[in-house]
PDB file of all heavy atoms in Angstrom:
ATOM      1  N   ASP A 756       2.398   7.929  13.391  1.00 90.00           N
ATOM      2  CA  ASP A 756       2.307   7.008  14.474  1.00 90.00           C
ATOM      3  C   ASP A 756       1.706   5.649  13.921  1.00 90.00           C
ATOM      4  O   ASP A 756       2.249   4.685  14.318  1.00 90.00           O
ATOM      5  CB  ASP A 756       1.256   7.458  15.486  1.00 90.00           C
ATOM      6  CG  ASP A 756       1.824   8.597  16.413  1.00 90.00           C
ATOM      7  OD1 ASP A 756       3.040   8.962  16.252  1.00 90.00           O
ATOM      8  OD2 ASP A 756       1.070   9.304  17.060  1.00 90.00           O
ATOM      9  N   MET A 757       0.644   5.798  13.136  1.00 92.00           N
ATOM     10  CA  MET A 757      -0.046   4.557  12.688  1.00 92.00           C
ATOM     11  C   MET A 757       1.060   3.792  11.721  1.00 92.00           C
ATOM     12  O   MET A 757       1.113   2.523  11.895  1.00 92.00           O
ATOM     13  CB  MET A 757      -1.298   5.082  11.868  1.00 92.00           C
ATOM     14  CG  MET A 757      -2.151   3.858  11.601  1.00 92.00           C
ATOM     15  SD  MET A 757      -2.881   3.190  13.092  1.00 92.00           S
ATOM     16  CE  MET A 757      -3.730   1.902  12.550  1.00 92.00           C
ATOM     17  N   LEU A 758       1.639   4.585  10.864  1.00 94.00           N
ATOM     18  CA  LEU A 758       2.525   3.762   9.772  1.00 94.00           C
ATOM     19  C   LEU A 758       3.743   3.124  10.624  1.00 94.00           C
ATOM     20  O   LEU A 758       4.110   2.035  10.298  1.00 94.00           O
ATOM     21  CB  LEU A 758       3.043   4.766   8.809  1.00 94.00           C
ATOM     22  CG  LEU A 758       2.017   5.201   7.806  1.00 94.00           C
ATOM     23  CD1 LEU A 758       2.518   6.215   6.704  1.00 94.00           C
ATOM     24  CD2 LEU A 758       1.296   4.091   7.017  1.00 94.00           C
ATOM     25  N   GLY A 759       4.224   3.866  11.700  1.00 93.00           N
ATOM     26  CA  GLY A 759       5.293   3.371  12.504  1.00 93.00           C
ATOM     27  C   GLY A 759       4.856   2.035  13.166  1.00 93.00           C
ATOM     28  O   GLY A 759       5.554   1.111  13.227  1.00 93.00           O
ATOM     29  N   LEU A 760       3.701   2.120  13.666  1.00 93.00           N
ATOM     30  CA  LEU A 760       3.074   0.950  14.431  1.00 93.00           C
ATOM     31  C   LEU A 760       2.941  -0.238  13.401  1.00 93.00           C
ATOM     32  O   LEU A 760       3.323  -1.323  13.776  1.00 93.00           O
ATOM     33  CB  LEU A 760       1.675   1.391  14.935  1.00 93.00           C
ATOM     34  CG  LEU A 760       1.198   0.746  16.216  1.00 93.00           C
ATOM     35  CD1 LEU A 760       2.215   0.697  17.312  1.00 93.00           C
ATOM     36  CD2 LEU A 760       0.019   1.432  16.666  1.00 93.00           C
ATOM     37  N   ILE A 761       2.422   0.067  12.211  1.00 94.00           N
ATOM     38  CA  ILE A 761       2.280  -0.956  11.296  1.00 94.00           C
ATOM     39  C   ILE A 761       3.517  -1.581  10.746  1.00 94.00           C
ATOM     40  O   ILE A 761       3.752  -2.875  10.649  1.00 94.00           O
ATOM     41  CB  ILE A 761       1.365  -0.515   9.959  1.00 94.00           C
ATOM     42  CG1 ILE A 761       0.087  -0.034  10.369  1.00 94.00           C
ATOM     43  CG2 ILE A 761       1.274  -1.524   8.965  1.00 94.00           C
ATOM     44  CD1 ILE A 761      -0.801   0.694   9.310  1.00 94.00           C
ATOM     45  N   ALA A 762       4.606  -0.720  10.534  1.00 94.00           N
ATOM     46  CA  ALA A 762       5.927  -1.209  10.154  1.00 94.00           C
ATOM     47  C   ALA A 762       6.420  -2.199  11.114  1.00 94.00           C
ATOM     48  O   ALA A 762       7.007  -3.146  10.873  1.00 94.00           O
ATOM     49  CB  ALA A 762       6.797  -0.047   9.876  1.00 94.00           C
ATOM     50  N   GLU A 763       6.224  -1.753  12.510  1.00 93.00           N
ATOM     51  CA  GLU A 763       6.788  -2.682  13.574  1.00 93.00           C
ATOM     52  C   GLU A 763       6.107  -4.070  13.456  1.00 93.00           C
ATOM     53  O   GLU A 763       6.784  -5.111  13.779  1.00 93.00           O
ATOM     54  CB  GLU A 763       6.428  -2.038  14.830  1.00 93.00           C
ATOM     55  CG  GLU A 763       7.432  -1.322  15.472  1.00 93.00           C
ATOM     56  CD  GLU A 763       7.003  -0.827  16.880  1.00 93.00           C
ATOM     57  OE1 GLU A 763       6.241  -1.688  17.550  1.00 93.00           O
ATOM     58  OE2 GLU A 763       7.539   0.157  17.383  1.00 93.00           O
ATOM     59  N   LEU A 764       4.898  -4.227  13.200  1.00 94.00           N
ATOM     60  CA  LEU A 764       4.205  -5.353  13.166  1.00 94.00           C
ATOM     61  C   LEU A 764       4.825  -6.467  12.216  1.00 94.00           C
ATOM     62  O   LEU A 764       4.890  -7.605  12.405  1.00 94.00           O
ATOM     63  CB  LEU A 764       2.733  -5.252  12.630  1.00 94.00           C
ATOM     64  CG  LEU A 764       1.836  -4.330  13.500  1.00 94.00           C
ATOM     65  CD1 LEU A 764       0.507  -4.218  12.813  1.00 94.00           C
ATOM     66  CD2 LEU A 764       1.712  -4.966  14.847  1.00 94.00           C
ATOM     67  N   ALA A 765       5.533  -5.952  11.137  1.00 94.00           N
ATOM     68  CA  ALA A 765       6.136  -6.779  10.169  1.00 94.00           C
ATOM     69  C   ALA A 765       7.626  -6.869  10.558  1.00 94.00           C
ATOM     70  O   ALA A 765       8.182  -8.034  10.741  1.00 94.00           O
ATOM     71  CB  ALA A 765       6.140  -6.312   8.680  1.00 94.00           C
ATOM     72  N   ARG A 766       8.324  -5.696  10.731  1.00 93.00           N
ATOM     73  CA  ARG A 766       9.740  -5.692  10.939  1.00 93.00           C
ATOM     74  C   ARG A 766      10.165  -6.354  12.312  1.00 93.00           C
ATOM     75  O   ARG A 766      11.199  -7.111  12.414  1.00 93.00           O
ATOM     76  CB  ARG A 766      10.307  -4.292  10.979  1.00 93.00           C
ATOM     77  CG  ARG A 766       9.884  -3.435   9.762  1.00 93.00           C
ATOM     78  CD  ARG A 766      10.482  -3.830   8.419  1.00 93.00           C
ATOM     79  NE  ARG A 766       9.922  -3.067   7.358  1.00 93.00           N
ATOM     80  CZ  ARG A 766       9.169  -3.485   6.293  1.00 93.00           C
ATOM     81  NH1 ARG A 766       8.937  -4.769   6.166  1.00 93.00           N
ATOM     82  NH2 ARG A 766       8.708  -2.692   5.328  1.00 93.00           N
ATOM     83  N   LYS A 767       9.382  -5.983  13.293  1.00 92.00           N
ATOM     84  CA  LYS A 767       9.662  -6.600  14.665  1.00 92.00           C
ATOM     85  C   LYS A 767       9.113  -7.828  15.005  1.00 92.00           C
ATOM     86  O   LYS A 767       9.680  -8.771  15.395  1.00 92.00           O
ATOM     87  CB  LYS A 767       9.292  -5.474  15.691  1.00 92.00           C
ATOM     88  CG  LYS A 767      10.014  -5.526  16.997  1.00 92.00           C
ATOM     89  CD  LYS A 767       9.737  -4.241  17.800  1.00 92.00           C
ATOM     90  CE  LYS A 767       9.623  -4.640  19.300  1.00 92.00           C
ATOM     91  NZ  LYS A 767       8.866  -3.495  19.973  1.00 92.00           N
ATOM     92  N   ASP A 768       7.821  -7.877  14.815  1.00 93.00           N
ATOM     93  CA  ASP A 768       7.014  -9.116  15.120  1.00 93.00           C
ATOM     94  C   ASP A 768       7.091 -10.203  14.009  1.00 93.00           C
ATOM     95  O   ASP A 768       6.681 -11.271  14.273  1.00 93.00           O
ATOM     96  CB  ASP A 768       5.563  -8.793  15.232  1.00 93.00           C
ATOM     97  CG  ASP A 768       5.251  -7.831  16.443  1.00 93.00           C
ATOM     98  OD1 ASP A 768       6.193  -7.318  16.946  1.00 93.00           O
ATOM     99  OD2 ASP A 768       4.102  -7.569  16.596  1.00 93.00           O
ATOM    100  N   LYS A 769       7.516  -9.834  12.845  1.00 93.00           N
ATOM    101  CA  LYS A 769       7.664 -10.766  11.671  1.00 93.00           C
ATOM    102  C   LYS A 769       6.201 -11.348  11.233  1.00 93.00           C
ATOM    103  O   LYS A 769       6.053 -12.419  10.832  1.00 93.00           O
ATOM    104  CB  LYS A 769       8.528 -11.964  11.988  1.00 93.00           C
ATOM    105  CG  LYS A 769       9.789 -11.698  12.536  1.00 93.00           C
ATOM    106  CD  LYS A 769      10.769 -11.196  11.529  1.00 93.00           C
ATOM    107  CE  LYS A 769      12.138 -10.691  12.051  1.00 93.00           C
ATOM    108  NZ  LYS A 769      12.718  -9.538  11.413  1.00 93.00           N
ATOM    109  N   ARG A 770       5.213 -10.348  11.374  1.00 96.00           N
ATOM    110  CA  ARG A 770       3.922 -10.761  10.815  1.00 96.00           C
ATOM    111  C   ARG A 770       3.878 -10.364   9.365  1.00 96.00           C
ATOM    112  O   ARG A 770       4.625  -9.437   8.907  1.00 96.00           O
ATOM    113  CB  ARG A 770       2.805 -10.019  11.593  1.00 96.00           C
ATOM    114  CG  ARG A 770       2.783 -10.384  13.075  1.00 96.00           C
ATOM    115  CD  ARG A 770       1.787  -9.491  13.782  1.00 96.00           C
ATOM    116  NE  ARG A 770       2.222  -9.295  15.059  1.00 96.00           N
ATOM    117  CZ  ARG A 770       1.823 -10.006  16.215  1.00 96.00           C
ATOM    118  NH1 ARG A 770       0.970 -11.082  16.027  1.00 96.00           N
ATOM    119  NH2 ARG A 770       2.229  -9.724  17.374  1.00 96.00           N
ATOM    120  N   THR A 771       2.875 -10.852   8.687  1.00 97.00           N
ATOM    121  CA  THR A 771       2.648 -10.304   7.317  1.00 97.00           C
ATOM    122  C   THR A 771       1.549  -9.385   7.340  1.00 97.00           C
ATOM    123  O   THR A 771       0.477  -9.579   8.093  1.00 97.00           O
ATOM    124  CB  THR A 771       2.098 -11.546   6.454  1.00 97.00           C
ATOM    125  OG1 THR A 771       3.166 -12.641   6.490  1.00 97.00           O
ATOM    126  CG2 THR A 771       1.963 -11.218   4.967  1.00 97.00           C
ATOM    127  N   VAL A 772       1.739  -8.232   6.564  1.00 97.00           N
ATOM    128  CA  VAL A 772       0.710  -7.202   6.693  1.00 97.00           C
ATOM    129  C   VAL A 772       0.195  -6.823   5.284  1.00 97.00           C
ATOM    130  O   VAL A 772       0.935  -6.514   4.376  1.00 97.00           O
ATOM    131  CB  VAL A 772       1.291  -5.949   7.365  1.00 97.00           C
ATOM    132  CG1 VAL A 772       0.278  -4.833   7.433  1.00 97.00           C
ATOM    133  CG2 VAL A 772       1.863  -6.264   8.776  1.00 97.00           C
ATOM    134  N   LEU A 773      -1.097  -6.756   5.237  1.00 97.00           N
ATOM    135  CA  LEU A 773      -1.743  -6.362   3.921  1.00 97.00           C
ATOM    136  C   LEU A 773      -2.451  -5.105   4.127  1.00 97.00           C
ATOM    137  O   LEU A 773      -3.332  -5.006   5.132  1.00 97.00           O
ATOM    138  CB  LEU A 773      -2.665  -7.449   3.389  1.00 97.00           C
ATOM    139  CG  LEU A 773      -3.636  -7.110   2.308  1.00 97.00           C
ATOM    140  CD1 LEU A 773      -2.886  -6.535   1.075  1.00 97.00           C
ATOM    141  CD2 LEU A 773      -4.589  -8.249   1.905  1.00 97.00           C
ATOM    142  N   ILE A 774      -2.032  -4.033   3.514  1.00 96.00           N
ATOM    143  CA  ILE A 774      -2.731  -2.759   3.807  1.00 96.00           C
ATOM    144  C   ILE A 774      -3.590  -2.439   2.527  1.00 96.00           C
ATOM    145  O   ILE A 774      -3.005  -2.384   1.464  1.00 96.00           O
ATOM    146  CB  ILE A 774      -1.688  -1.633   3.926  1.00 96.00           C
ATOM    147  CG1 ILE A 774      -0.894  -1.858   5.088  1.00 96.00           C
ATOM    148  CG2 ILE A 774      -2.557  -0.298   4.243  1.00 96.00           C
ATOM    149  CD1 ILE A 774       0.306  -0.900   5.227  1.00 96.00           C
ATOM    150  N   SER A 775      -4.770  -2.072   2.706  1.00 95.00           N
ATOM    151  CA  SER A 775      -5.548  -1.473   1.516  1.00 95.00           C
ATOM    152  C   SER A 775      -5.684  -0.033   1.763  1.00 95.00           C
ATOM    153  O   SER A 775      -5.986   0.532   2.804  1.00 95.00           O
ATOM    154  CB  SER A 775      -6.953  -2.097   1.442  1.00 95.00           C
ATOM    155  OG  SER A 775      -7.902  -1.212   1.343  1.00 95.00           O
ATOM    156  N   SER A 776      -5.404   0.693   0.556  1.00 92.00           N
ATOM    157  CA  SER A 776      -5.484   2.231   0.889  1.00 92.00           C
ATOM    158  C   SER A 776      -5.647   2.801  -0.605  1.00 92.00           C
ATOM    159  O   SER A 776      -5.225   2.432  -1.554  1.00 92.00           O
ATOM    160  CB  SER A 776      -4.242   2.680   1.377  1.00 92.00           C
ATOM    161  OG  SER A 776      -4.376   4.116   1.518  1.00 92.00           O
ATOM    162  N   HIS A 777      -6.403   3.988  -0.598  1.00 88.00           N
ATOM    163  CA  HIS A 777      -6.376   4.838  -1.829  1.00 88.00           C
ATOM    164  C   HIS A 777      -5.430   5.942  -1.651  1.00 88.00           C
ATOM    165  O   HIS A 777      -5.334   6.851  -2.501  1.00 88.00           O
ATOM    166  CB  HIS A 777      -7.734   5.361  -2.159  1.00 88.00           C
ATOM    167  CG  HIS A 777      -8.332   6.390  -1.226  1.00 88.00           C
ATOM    168  ND1 HIS A 777      -8.867   5.973   0.077  1.00 88.00           N
ATOM    169  CD2 HIS A 777      -8.430   7.752  -1.318  1.00 88.00           C
ATOM    170  CE1 HIS A 777      -9.194   7.082   0.612  1.00 88.00           C
ATOM    171  NE2 HIS A 777      -8.969   8.202  -0.037  1.00 88.00           N
ATOM    172  N   LEU A 778      -4.617   6.004  -0.490  1.00 87.00           N
ATOM    173  CA  LEU A 778      -3.686   7.061  -0.311  1.00 87.00           C
ATOM    174  C   LEU A 778      -2.313   6.631  -0.512  1.00 87.00           C
ATOM    175  O   LEU A 778      -1.495   6.392   0.456  1.00 87.00           O
ATOM    176  CB  LEU A 778      -3.862   7.592   1.212  1.00 87.00           C
ATOM    177  CG  LEU A 778      -5.355   8.052   1.414  1.00 87.00           C
ATOM    178  CD1 LEU A 778      -5.484   8.236   2.988  1.00 87.00           C
ATOM    179  CD2 LEU A 778      -5.566   9.369   0.705  1.00 87.00           C
ATOM    180  N   LEU A 779      -2.036   6.382  -1.777  1.00 83.00           N
ATOM    181  CA  LEU A 779      -0.705   5.904  -2.241  1.00 83.00           C
ATOM    182  C   LEU A 779       0.448   6.514  -1.564  1.00 83.00           C
ATOM    183  O   LEU A 779       1.351   5.956  -1.179  1.00 83.00           O
ATOM    184  CB  LEU A 779      -0.682   5.926  -3.719  1.00 83.00           C
ATOM    185  CG  LEU A 779       0.438   5.405  -4.368  1.00 83.00           C
ATOM    186  CD1 LEU A 779       0.096   4.697  -5.759  1.00 83.00           C
ATOM    187  CD2 LEU A 779       1.403   6.634  -4.856  1.00 83.00           C
ATOM    188  N   HIS A 780       0.418   7.894  -1.706  1.00 81.00           N
ATOM    189  CA  HIS A 780       1.715   8.613  -1.200  1.00 81.00           C
ATOM    190  C   HIS A 780       1.917   8.364   0.345  1.00 81.00           C
ATOM    191  O   HIS A 780       3.083   8.443   0.808  1.00 81.00           O
ATOM    192  CB  HIS A 780       1.483  10.075  -1.422  1.00 81.00           C
ATOM    193  CG  HIS A 780       2.032  10.568  -2.726  1.00 81.00           C
ATOM    194  ND1 HIS A 780       3.308  10.588  -3.000  1.00 81.00           N
ATOM    195  CD2 HIS A 780       1.396  10.831  -3.853  1.00 81.00           C
ATOM    196  CE1 HIS A 780       3.412  10.900  -4.309  1.00 81.00           C
ATOM    197  NE2 HIS A 780       2.265  11.108  -4.780  1.00 81.00           N
ATOM    198  N   GLN A 781       0.935   8.105   1.079  1.00 83.00           N
ATOM    199  CA  GLN A 781       1.038   7.854   2.588  1.00 83.00           C
ATOM    200  C   GLN A 781       1.612   6.520   2.827  1.00 83.00           C
ATOM    201  O   GLN A 781       2.597   6.313   3.480  1.00 83.00           O
ATOM    202  CB  GLN A 781      -0.269   7.999   3.338  1.00 83.00           C
ATOM    203  CG  GLN A 781      -0.724   9.393   3.430  1.00 83.00           C
ATOM    204  CD  GLN A 781      -1.997   9.480   4.182  1.00 83.00           C
ATOM    205  OE1 GLN A 781      -2.488   8.518   4.730  1.00 83.00           O
ATOM    206  NE2 GLN A 781      -2.678  10.611   4.134  1.00 83.00           N
ATOM    207  N   VAL A 782       0.926   5.479   2.223  1.00 84.00           N
ATOM    208  CA  VAL A 782       1.096   4.057   2.522  1.00 84.00           C
ATOM    209  C   VAL A 782       2.402   3.530   1.886  1.00 84.00           C
ATOM    210  O   VAL A 782       3.102   2.776   2.455  1.00 84.00           O
ATOM    211  CB  VAL A 782      -0.096   3.334   2.209  1.00 84.00           C
ATOM    212  CG1 VAL A 782       0.012   1.903   2.341  1.00 84.00           C
ATOM    213  CG2 VAL A 782      -1.271   3.741   3.093  1.00 84.00           C
ATOM    214  N   GLN A 783       2.728   4.000   0.703  1.00 82.00           N
ATOM    215  CA  GLN A 783       3.824   3.359  -0.030  1.00 82.00           C
ATOM    216  C   GLN A 783       5.081   3.371   0.727  1.00 82.00           C
ATOM    217  O   GLN A 783       6.011   2.554   0.539  1.00 82.00           O
ATOM    218  CB  GLN A 783       3.923   4.037  -1.423  1.00 82.00           C
ATOM    219  CG  GLN A 783       4.142   5.479  -1.493  1.00 82.00           C
ATOM    220  CD  GLN A 783       5.533   5.848  -1.604  1.00 82.00           C
ATOM    221  OE1 GLN A 783       6.334   5.056  -1.751  1.00 82.00           O
ATOM    222  NE2 GLN A 783       5.778   7.139  -1.337  1.00 82.00           N
TER     223      GLN A 783
END
Side-chain angles (χ1 to χ4, degrees):
D756 288 348
M757 195 64 186
L758 292 178
L760 210 49
I761 296 170
E763 264 188 26
L764 300 176
R766 313 287 178 242
K767 203 166 140 199
D768 300 3
K769 311 286 177 216
R770 300 176 210 267
T771 307
V772 181
L773 169 60
I774 305 175
S775 128
S776 180
H777 69 281
L778 302 167
L779 179 142
H780 271 284
Q781 288 179 7
V782 171
Q783 55 94 13

